[in-house]
């Protein structure tokens, strides 16, 4: 742990391609501070390969146990790394019919909407427009999507 902390402090939030894989592993580190520093470095990298690492962290079974603020930071980062895989992840989450209105599914869907809204790119807006008026989304999501598009 001390070595990881020292390495992250030395890097700051600068991306170094040679440690891309290690930064990706740190996204699942027990320390919240380490996870967020690694995410900051990956997010600003401009490297198209980092979206997969962030997606793996978001899809990890322990991700939903993290605090809501950290989850939102990760989803916003994932939205900002828009490639076909990450946009596919958002589509998959928003396509979930969730007919029983599971809170965990609705929360994940809301994180997608917030992340896409925060990024505000043409691709993000187009994706949200595709779900405007979708019958299977709960009212709170439909309202959030409408607000994001106005």
């Amino acid at each position: 742990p001390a070595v990881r902390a020292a390495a992250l402090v030395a890097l700051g939030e600068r991306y170094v391609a040679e440690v891309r894989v290690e930064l990706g592993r740190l996204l699942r580190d027990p320390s919240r501070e380490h996870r967020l520093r690694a995410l900051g470095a990956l997010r600003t990298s401009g490297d198209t390969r980092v979206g997969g690492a962030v997606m793996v962290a978001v899809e990890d079974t322990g991700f939903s146990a993290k605090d809501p603020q950290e989850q939102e930071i990760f989803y916003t980062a994932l939205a900002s790394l828009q490639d076909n895989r990450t946009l596919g992840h958002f589509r998959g989450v928003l396509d979930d019919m969730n007919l029983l209105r599971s809170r965990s599914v609705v929360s994940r869907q809301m994180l997608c909407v917030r992340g896409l809204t925060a990024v505000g790119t043409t691709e993000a807006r187009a994706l949200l427009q595709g779900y405007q008026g979708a019958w299977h989304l709960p009212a709170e999501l439909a309202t959030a999507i409408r607000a994001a598009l106005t």
Side-chain angles (χ1 to χ4, degrees), residues 23-46:
L23 285 169
R25 286 188 191 123
L26 283 170
L27 295 177
R28 294 186 309 270
D29 192 87
S31 164
R32 181 182 196 271
E33 180 184 354
H34 294 174
R35 290 190 302 269
L36 293 178
R37 282 182 182 261
L39 181 64
L42 290 169
R43 185 178 186 179
T44 60
S45 71

Side-chain angles (χ1 to χ4, degrees), residues 12-118:
E13 288 194 358
R14 291 185 318 267
Y15 176 72
V16 178
E18 291 78 17
V19 294
R20 177 181 52 84
V21 172
E22 290 78 6
L23 285 169
R25 286 188 191 123
L26 283 170
L27 295 177
R28 294 186 309 270
D29 192 87
S31 164
R32 181 182 196 271
E33 180 184 354
H34 294 174
R35 290 190 302 269
L36 293 178
R37 282 182 182 261
L39 181 64
L42 290 169
R43 185 178 186 179
T44 60
S45 71
D47 187 336
T48 58
R49 300 172 293 178
V50 302
V54 178
M55 197 163 41
V56 166
V58 165
E59 292 175 345
D60 186 73
T61 56
F63 184 76
S64 60
K66 294 183 179 15
D67 70 81
Q69 181 189 22
E70 183 176 353
Q71 290 182 39
E72 189 158 346
I73 291 167
F74 266 78
Y75 265 89
T76 301
L78 188 62
S80 72
L81 299 168
Q82 295 175 9
D83 63 19
N84 289 334
R85 291 175 301 168
T86 58
L87 291 175
H89 171 80
F90 284 108
R91 280 188 205 94
V93 172
L94 292 171
D95 281 344
D96 190 330
M97 293 298 187
N98 190 25
L99 299 177
L100 299 177
R101 298 295 187 240
S102 161
R103 282 305 315 153
S104 65
V105 174
V106 173
S107 293
R108 203 166 45 250
Q109 289 173 324
M110 188 61 80
L111 286 169
C112 287
V113 171
R114 287 187 188 135
L116 291 166
T117 301

Side-chain angles (χ1 to χ4, degrees), residues 121-143:
T121 62
T122 304
E123 294 85 0
R125 287 186 60 77
L127 185 59
L128 288 172
Q129 285 172 337
Y131 290 95
Q132 192 173 19
W135 67 269
H136 69 280
L137 295 176
E140 64 190 282
L141 280 167
T143 301

